[in-house]
Amino acid sequence: MEEDYYSINSIIADTHKLTCTFNLDVKGLGFLEGGSEPDIKQHAKAELPFWLAHTLSANEFTSFPIPPPYSHRVRSALNASAHSVRLSSLVGTNGWWYAWGRRIAHILDDAQRKELLGTLLKAFSQRLPLLQDLAAHYGSSSASNINSGDMGSGGVTIAGEAFKEGMDAEERELFALGQGAGRKLKTWYDTPRR
């Protein structure tokens, strides 16, 4: 995902909500909590869009825990079997799990940033080989040859199909590129030579 002012994907990522805790009293912003109080009291919690949470956290008005899509539970699942985690369902619309994680990492302290970025890199590097294999398979196979049962002659495993459905948006972009490259390679290979 681009981190560009005019990027629709960037705008969508900035609307994800974070549960923030206010570090001090804030006058006149009680409506952010959804209550009838005119002010926000210290230690009050509110769900804020990322763009606002980022600004308030950078100025130390708020703090927030690591969001659930990057929690210890998700990291444990990724360590156990990175291919089986459905990244597309962890962050909502379009599943920009890697991109949102990078955005969050920029406002964390050094230790948390290092841990989160390490998790993103490890997950990507463990998932990439299967992504490449599936993209090459789909790119070089015709739709009629694809079998969603056990691996057979030119087929895809059920686990491969589940992985494909659970891909993050960036993984889907790479999959499409790999699939296109696989088609071009098949066309080149099938073209008679003189």
Side-chain angles (χ1 to χ4, degrees), residues 47-189:
E47 284 222 353
L48 304 174
F50 180 76
W51 64 267
L52 181 57
H54 178 273
T55 303
L56 293 175
S57 292
N59 292 305
E60 299 182 6
F61 289 110
T62 62
S63 59
F64 61 90
I66 297 291
Y70 309 98
S71 67
H72 180 69
R73 185 178 63 84
V74 173
R75 286 195 313 265
S76 295
L78 286 166
N79 286 334
S81 176
H83 303 110
S84 64
V85 178
R86 292 182 58 97
L87 298 181
S88 63
S89 63
L90 290 177
V91 293
T93 308
N94 295 325
W96 292 96
W97 186 78
Y98 294 107
W100 197 44
R102 288 191 308 268
R103 299 287 294 268
I104 289 170
H106 290 301
I107 56 176
L108 296 175
D109 63 47
D110 290 338
Q112 288 179 316
R113 178 182 307 120
K114 184 177 179 181
E115 183 178 10
L116 179 56
L117 291 175
T119 298
L120 298 174
L121 179 61
K122 185 176 179 183
F124 183 75
S125 62
Q126 288 178 345
R127 292 169 64 90
L128 186 59
L130 181 56
L131 186 149
Q132 290 174 317
D133 288 347
L134 286 173
H137 172 77
Y138 276 89
S140 65
S141 299
S142 66
S144 61
N145 289 340
I146 295 174
N147 172 14
S148 60
D150 294 330
M151 186 65 90
S153 59
V156 176
T157 64
I158 293 172
E161 279 295 317
F163 174 76
K164 184 176 173 276
E165 292 171 10
M167 281 191 243
D168 164 82
E170 288 177 298
E171 290 174 334
R172 287 192 302 273
E173 289 176 357
L174 288 174
F175 179 83
L177 289 170
Q179 191 175 10
R183 282 190 199 110
K184 289 177 183 176
L185 180 63
K186 183 174 180 359
T187 301
W188 173 82
Y189 187 75

Side-chain angles (χ1 to χ4, degrees), residues 17-32:
K17 301 235 177 181
L18 287 176
T19 301
C20 296
T21 304
F22 282 84
N23 298 331
L24 45 92
D25 292 342
V26 182
K27 296 197 179 287
L29 292 180
F31 65 90
L32 290 176

